Amino acid sequence: MTDLYRVLPEEMDALVIKLGQPRYRADQLLHALYQESPKKISDLHQIPSAMQDALVAAGYTIGPKSEVHRVTSEDGHTTKLLLKFDEETLIEMVLMQYRSSKEDGHPRSTVCVSTQVGCPMGCVFCATGQMGFEKNLKAEEIVAQVLYFTQILRQRGEHVTNLVFMGMGEPLANYDETVRAVRLLTHPRAFGLGQRSITISTVGVISGIDKLADEDIQVKLAISLHAPNDVLRKKLVPTAGPNSVEDLILAAKRYFKKTGRRVTFEYALIDGMNDSNKVATELAQLLKGNGAHVNLIPMNPTAGGFSRPARKRVLAFQQILRDGGVNCTIRVEKGSEISAACGQLRTDVIKNITR
Ligand code: SAH
Ligand code: SF4
């Protein structure tokens, strides 16, 4: 079985020709898939029923998906959804809305997607890492997350404006399906989102960073650094293994050189672990003169027993980086009261609630 939501436009052209249909049928199919919300092949009304039957006979399908759980933050700006594809594939995804400064009032609507069920990287402060690795998601399951929120937004006359690969899992450990999903979501004949509105966040899969730099897709890259040296980083990212902090910095430089797009370094600030003035000074030394941008994420509570530093500490850490000539912002937090913030996505807990 092949899900129609994993078929790239060029592949769709070849498919309709193989089925003995004119090429414009490919555009009709793509239009129906991305502008309407067909749940099954017989919902593709523009397509003659003989062609629908031929698609089914050739093994094409539209996979089922159902909403299992939804939570919205008190201010209504953050929505976390639990989406189920099959018994083993339950994932969380988040919609974050920011009020627009523009007159038309259309909010910035950022979807945060998952790429894996669980994660093999085991970062000690991350809820997804704590649940272990279950499976990779397929491209169609990544695309489905964006389309699901698109449908909800459409009813309000709004649309998805940005996409971040910062949900459950390590996108570059599921490279091919992640890149296929990006191609589908950005292709003008498919979903058509601007490539530069997409950020892929990685814990530092170096081979993946280098491969991504060679792709003809203009996504932004964020590397989760969390520490300026290997001893500290390995405490936080136990699977960092042979990839040293220096290797990551070099990979970021290569990415910038190849693509012209600067990499953002994400840094989860954890009380008493990686938030001292000494560590901040070391980080500033490491990154200065790089044109690097650091995004500080005060740690969100998970079951790991770590906590976030006091606000004063976060601001002091930022100041040291700035004084050291490193561009540094503090992430605006969204949705921590509904456990939808960075590192809080953990479906196994919700599985128990919904059983
Ligand atoms: N696996 C990728 C992308 C998903 S995690 C990565 O690690 O980059 C997205 C971001 O959330 C990462 O920067 C990660 O370090 C951060 N994060 C994870 N757990 C967190 C927590 N408890 N509090 C704050 N940020 C966290
Ligand atoms: Fe995986 Fe990213 Fe969580 Fe680390 S922070 S365990 S890489 S999802």
Side-chain angles (χ1 to χ4, degrees), residues 42-352:
S42 58
D43 291 342
L44 300 167
H45 302 298
Q46 297 104 322
I47 308 294
S49 61
M51 184 177 167
Q52 292 176 7
D53 295 344
L55 280 169
V56 174
Y60 288 87
T61 182
I62 292 176
K65 46 216 75 117
S66 55
E67 179 178 328
V68 177
H69 196 67
R70 187 190 295 204
V71 226
T72 304
S73 63
E74 240 165 64
D75 63 10
H77 294 169
T78 308
T79 303
K80 179 171 75 167
L81 268 184
L82 191 58
L83 203 63
K84 181 174 169 177
F85 298 104
D86 56 49
E87 283 310 316
E88 287 82 51
T89 321
L90 198 60
I91 56 96
E92 289 189 4
M93 54 195 208
V94 186
L95 171 69
M96 295 160 289
Q97 297 199 287
Y98 304 82
R99 230 174 260 118
S100 164
S101 49
K102 283 188 226 138
E103 281 295 301
D104 70 3
H106 270 297
R108 196 165 109 173
S109 300
T110 301
V111 173
C112 175
V113 292
S114 295
T115 52
Q116 298 181 314
V117 183
C119 181
M121 310 309 287
C123 303
V124 294
F125 51 87
C126 169
T128 309
Q130 287 157 13
M131 71 182 269
F133 175 64
E134 291 183 15
K135 65 187 286 199
N136 282 324
L137 291 184
K138 299 197 203 87
E140 59 268 34
E141 293 165 338
I142 300 172
V143 168
Q145 299 171 52
V146 181
L147 291 182
Y148 203 87
F149 276 127
T150 298
Q151 236 174 291
I152 293 174
L153 288 172
R154 210 175 265 150
Q155 289 158 9
R156 306 189 215 148
E158 296 167 6
H159 59 274
V160 173
T161 59
N162 296 77
L163 175 59
V164 294
F165 284 77
M166 296 188 186
M168 301 167 73
E170 168 48 47
L172 300 186
N174 183 15
Y175 187 91
D176 291 344
E177 295 300 303
T178 295
V179 167
R180 177 176 279 268
V182 169
R183 291 191 187 286
L184 288 158
L185 290 166
T186 55
H187 201 296
R189 293 176 64 208
F191 189 69
L193 188 66
Q195 294 183 346
R196 285 160 197 269
S197 318
I198 298 181
T199 302
I200 293 185
S201 174
T202 178
V203 73
V205 179
I206 294 200
S207 56
I209 295 173
D210 285 330
K211 244 164 107 178
L212 196 62
D214 283 332
E215 303 277 355
D216 55 346
I217 47 177
Q218 312 273 308
V219 290
K220 290 193 259 183
L221 182 69
I223 297 181
S224 298
L225 190 62
H226 310 315
N229 63 63
D230 293 324
V231 174
L232 184 53
R233 192 162 195 272
K234 278 182 188 160
K235 280 191 194 151
L236 303 173
V237 186
T239 53
N243 292 337
S244 66
V245 165
E246 198 192 335
D247 293 336
L248 288 181
I249 307 283
L250 290 173
K253 281 188 179 155
R254 287 195 297 277
Y255 188 88
F256 173 56
K257 204 168 165 207
K258 271 235 166 91
T259 65
R261 292 187 300 282
R262 279 193 201 290
V263 171
T264 297
F265 290 103
E266 290 164 286
Y267 193 104
L269 269 178
I270 308 169
D271 190 33
M273 282 297 281
N274 64 353
D275 64 338
S276 68
N277 287 351
K278 187 169 168 277
V279 172
T281 309
E282 194 182 340
L283 185 64
Q285 291 285 340
L286 179 76
L287 297 178
K288 98 172 157 221
N290 247 338
H293 181 111
V294 174
N295 195 211
L296 297 176
I297 318 171
M299 145 101 202
N300 292 308
T302 64
F306 298 101
S307 55
R308 66 168 47 187
R311 185 75 185 164
K312 229 170 62 201
R313 181 92 301 275
V314 176
L315 293 172
F317 197 94
Q318 179 189 38
Q319 198 55 50
I320 291 173
L321 283 171
R322 287 188 167 167
D323 291 346
V326 177
N327 196 343
C328 176
T329 48
I330 301 169
R331 172 140 333 151
V332 182
E333 210 194 326
K334 286 262 163 198
S336 74
E337 88 269 22
I338 57 165
S339 285
C342 293
Q344 294 188 303
L345 303 175
R346 186 164 176 173
T347 44
D348 61 348
V349 175
I350 291 171
K351 254 189 230 167
N352 294 332

